[in-house]
Amino acid sequence: MASYPQSVEKLITSYEKPLPNLEALPGVPRIKLNEVISKLAYVYEKVRNSIDFREEHLLRRNAIERILRRRYLVENRKLIDAKLLVHELIRARYLPNDKLPESLIPIVQNYIDRYLSLLDHLQLHRTSPEDRKHIGWILSVASADVEERLSPTTREDALVEVMYGTLRNNIVLPDEVPTGQEQDVLVYLAMHRALLKSDEATLRYHLFTWAYPTWRNPDHKITEEVRTHFASLVEGIERRINHPLSERMLSICRRYAISFITLADVLRTNAGQERTLVMNPDLMDETVRKAMGDRVKLVRTRLRRTTVRSIVYIFITKMFLALLVELPIELLFFRNHALLPLYINATFHPVLMAFIGLSAVVPGKENTERVVLAVREILNPSSPRQVFGKKHRPRRRRSVTNFVFTLAYLATFVLSFGGIAWLLLSLQFTWISILIFLFFLSVISFFGMRVRLVVRDLVILDRRENLFMLLLDFFSLPILRVGRWFSKKIPKFNLFSFILDFIIEAPFKIFVEVVEEWFSFLREKRDEIG
């Protein structure tokens, strides 16, 4: 085999090196918390995550951000104690108990303090809505920074570089996007999202540290520089993350991501044989086939688990609305005693979620062979480009064409939502019941599509179109589009999240901390007696 690219060499090297180990060496003092109290916090965290749809690998970062926000905004603390942060993460089982050295706490404190220092320099006010947005922005970057310290992404970053080196020339952006660095950054972000499922906080952190690489070891000078250019820095980062072409580039990159993920699976599960595999094409092909088989099994399990979790969330939410909102409104204002609309609104959407999640079909042998071919091309750029040979040109349509298509697209909204509303009216639904039904139909359809992404992300083959698929797209796209819009707004208006984060979580965590200290006090007294 011809020599492989330098980016692949860097990836192999990252897998040859052992992963950083946070666990304490023998004899080193460790952080140990009471297991009984930790179970309470763990149960709470499971409940909290059940109403907040996120990728599993982002749950800890999200928890760190929640803790930082609560400490700074809700509890109004200018100083955030890293000890309390680490303890909360251990209780929620994001970090192991009785494994980590106590020296980890001052390290985490150092990373938190640099962002608190930036907040002090910016002199942001918690009572100002605009300043609260900037505070939230900084704390989201801080959470990604702390997460990076707890679990360095050296291998993941190297994998993104491999994808970038393989696919960059296949993505041709329109002339309206400035050539050079701007285009490179946009493509890199799309690959990061497609390959690692990175959220906005993670992307912000990468762009932030790219703009200010010395931030990793900041001093007063760099903090002052960031403060001076903060507004333009945030504007530039958000503009790149939310670029109009980002979704189209993401769609292109997502199609090829499975081949790079499978290569990473091969390197991870064959420690010590990385170079042997890479230099032996036949052996690599067989190993890729096995890795794809293992990933398909993993996806089946994850799909079932995510679907069940989503059904639980939907059921709880629907019961809450049905009993506390919909039923009283129907009886008091509409004098509607028909139970059929209530039954349908309470049961249809959990059943829909179950159908969407459990009906997904994993791809077969043809798709696996295409992945095998793609890995071959990644490792040997001189081979014929059957998978990575196509050029992709994400672009915006001309204004006239776009206007005509937009009008036609709006007509599909009228047909889809109008048809459903007419059917519900015939079933004695009131307008409030129809609104609730359509809202949940949109959101759950979109969530269901997100759940099915774990299966779609396995597919590298072109989608096969037929009349049924075209009709399904025609009627479902408006519903999914509305669901996508709501999904971006829901975190801001999620009643359960608000209650848990701002009303329950703060006193609950204080209670847990006090009980933990009480148990620690009792242990000390017991040791004194012994």
Side-chain angles (χ1 to χ4, degrees):
M1 176 181 285
S3 60
Y4 41 80
Q6 184 62 34
S7 59
V8 174
E9 170 63 30
K10 184 176 180 179
L11 179 66
I12 294 172
T13 302
S14 71
Y15 276 90
E16 288 176 330
K17 295 178 180 178
L19 288 171
N21 186 5
L22 292 177
E23 294 188 7
L25 296 173
V28 174
R30 301 180 182 186
I31 306 171
K32 184 176 181 180
L33 304 180
N34 186 280
E35 288 288 352
V36 175
I37 303 303
S38 295
K39 286 180 181 178
L40 289 176
Y42 174 68
V43 170
Y44 169 84
E45 196 67 20
K46 295 293 285 186
V47 172
R48 178 61 183 76
N49 288 335
S50 71
I51 65 168
D52 195 5
F53 186 87
R54 290 180 185 270
E55 296 286 342
E56 289 187 21
H57 70 284
L58 298 174
L59 291 178
R60 184 170 67 184
R61 190 216 58 77
N62 183 53
I64 295 171
E65 182 178 352
R66 286 199 339 259
I67 295 168
L68 294 178
R69 282 175 179 268
R70 189 184 77 244
R71 297 282 180 184
Y72 195 85
L73 291 173
V74 180
E75 300 176 12
N76 202 27
R77 301 190 187 191
K78 288 189 176 181
L79 298 177
I80 300 176
D81 192 343
K83 179 180 178 181
L84 298 178
L85 170 66
V86 172
H87 282 192
E88 284 197 39
L89 294 176
I90 291 175
R91 292 190 193 101
R93 300 187 186 176
Y94 291 119
L95 293 173
N97 191 19
D98 198 21
K99 297 284 186 181
L100 304 177
E102 293 181 357
S103 58
L104 175 66
I105 291 174
I107 295 174
V108 174
Q109 187 71 61
N110 178 53
Y111 287 105
I112 295 174
D113 286 347
R114 64 182 62 178
Y115 292 95
L116 297 179
S117 176
L118 176 59
L119 286 168
D120 285 341
H121 277 66
L122 289 169
Q123 297 182 342
L124 299 173
H125 300 286
R126 294 174 173 87
T127 55
S128 166
E130 189 63 27
D131 283 359
R132 284 178 71 91
K133 288 182 181 179
H134 285 148
I135 291 171
W137 194 93
I138 292 172
L139 294 179
S140 73
V141 176
S143 70
D145 197 342
V146 172
E147 172 66 12
E148 175 70 16
R149 301 312 119 197
L150 295 175
S151 181
T153 56
T154 307
R155 293 177 175 179
E156 291 81 0
D157 292 340
L159 188 62
V160 175
E161 287 189 33
V162 173
M163 187 176 191
Y164 183 88
T166 305
L167 266 179
R168 175 61 187 94
N169 293 331
N170 294 71
I171 301 177
V172 182
L173 296 182
D175 295 337
E176 65 195 61
V177 182
T179 57
Q181 190 178 79
E182 185 69 14
Q183 290 196 3
D184 294 341
V185 169
L186 292 177
V187 174
Y188 179 83
L189 291 178
M191 292 179 178
H192 218 282
R193 293 171 63 196
L195 203 54
L196 306 181
K197 303 294 186 295
S198 301
D199 59 4
E200 288 188 352
T202 304
L203 297 180
R204 286 169 185 159
Y205 166 71
H206 280 278
L207 290 178
F208 183 87
T209 53
W210 173 75
Y212 293 98
T214 56
W215 178 260
R216 298 176 185 276
N217 299 291
D219 54 22
H220 177 79
K221 182 179 178 181
I222 189 64
T223 303
E224 180 61 25
E225 184 179 347
V226 173
R227 185 198 68 79
T228 304
H229 301 96
F230 182 73
S232 60
L233 172 69
V234 172
E235 188 277 330
I237 289 177
E238 294 304 302
R239 174 171 48 80
R240 290 180 174 95
I241 292 176
N242 299 294
H243 193 277
L245 293 175
S246 61
E247 291 298 326
R248 296 179 191 178
M249 287 189 290
L250 173 61
S251 179
I252 294 168
C253 296
R254 183 183 284 137
R255 172 186 169 188
Y256 297 104
I258 183 59
S259 52
F260 299 92
I261 293 171
T262 304
L263 174 59
D265 288 344
V266 168
L267 297 177
R268 186 186 67 253
T269 56
N270 293 273
Q273 304 178 53
E274 297 92 348
R275 296 184 187 276
T276 302
L277 288 169
V278 170
M279 300 304 295
N280 189 327
D282 293 335
L283 181 59
M284 173 60 82
D285 289 352
E286 287 304 314
T287 310
V288 168
R289 291 186 184 97
K290 181 180 182 303
M292 269 297 289
D294 293 340
R295 181 156 286 274
V296 166
K297 294 177 184 177
L298 178 67
V299 163
R300 281 200 185 102
T301 302
R302 183 182 175 190
L303 180 64
R304 287 195 296 268
R305 184 171 63 247
T306 307
T307 300
V308 170
R309 177 178 144 197
S310 301
I311 292 170
V312 170
Y313 167 52
I314 294 165
F315 183 77
I316 292 173
T317 306
K318 291 308 299 288
M319 287 297 102
F320 178 85
L321 279 176
L323 296 176
L324 299 184
V325 179
E326 188 176 358
L327 182 59
I329 290 177
E330 294 282 351
L331 294 176
L332 294 176
F333 295 98
F334 293 95
R335 306 295 181 183
N336 183 13
H337 297 274
L339 295 179
L340 180 60
L342 191 64
Y343 289 148
I344 294 176
N345 249 342
T347 60
F348 176 81
H349 301 97
V351 172
L352 174 64
M353 184 68 240
F355 173 76
I356 293 174
L358 300 179
S359 65
V361 179
V362 296
K365 185 177 180 181
E366 182 183 0
N367 187 76
T368 297
E369 292 306 311
R370 192 71 173 174
V371 172
V372 170
L373 184 60
V375 172
R376 243 186 256 165
E377 294 180 17
I378 294 169
L379 300 177
N380 185 7
S382 62
S383 63
R385 313 303 275 175
Q386 299 180 53
V387 177
F388 299 109
K390 183 179 179 181
K391 296 284 186 180
H392 299 273
R393 291 177 169 81
R395 60 183 177 84
R396 295 186 189 179
R397 291 182 174 84
R398 289 178 298 178
S399 56
V400 176
T401 305
N402 193 59
F403 176 74
V404 173
F405 284 177
T406 300
L407 287 179
Y409 188 46
L410 290 175
T412 65
F413 279 78
V414 176
L415 289 172
S416 296
F417 285 99
I420 295 171
W422 175 82
L423 176 62
L424 295 178
L425 281 172
S426 67
L427 295 174
Q428 296 182 296
F429 274 66
T430 62
W431 66 266
I432 189 68
S433 297
I434 292 175
L435 288 178
I436 292 174
F437 183 93
L438 292 177
F439 168 77
F440 275 95
L441 176 64
S442 302
V443 171
I444 291 163
S445 296
F446 179 72
F447 280 173
M449 187 194 72
R450 290 280 303 273
V451 168
R452 288 174 69 112
L453 274 180
V454 295
V455 172
R456 198 179 80 179
D457 286 346
L458 293 174
V459 180
I460 195 173
L461 295 171
D462 292 331
R463 183 185 180 188
R464 294 174 181 174
E465 302 286 358
N466 53 49
L467 181 60
F468 173 76
M469 296 302 296
L470 290 174
L471 289 174
L472 182 63
D473 286 344
F474 182 84
F475 288 105
S476 65
L477 279 177
I479 296 171
L480 293 173
R481 189 74 181 182
V482 172
R484 182 175 180 270
W485 183 84
F486 274 124
S487 72
K488 290 186 175 181
K489 303 298 180 182
I490 282 175
K492 300 176 184 178
F493 304 107
N494 191 323
L495 179 61
F496 288 111
S497 297
F498 176 82
I499 292 173
L500 287 172
D501 291 348
F502 294 95
I503 298 177
I504 295 178
E505 183 163 315
F508 174 75
K509 293 300 177 67
I510 292 173
F511 167 76
V512 169
E513 290 169 13
V514 171
V515 175
E516 178 73 41
E517 288 297 323
W518 170 247
F519 273 89
S520 177
F521 174 78
L522 291 180
R523 279 199 305 270
E524 292 174 6
K525 293 302 179 183
R526 184 183 59 203
D527 292 342
E528 289 176 6
I529 295 174

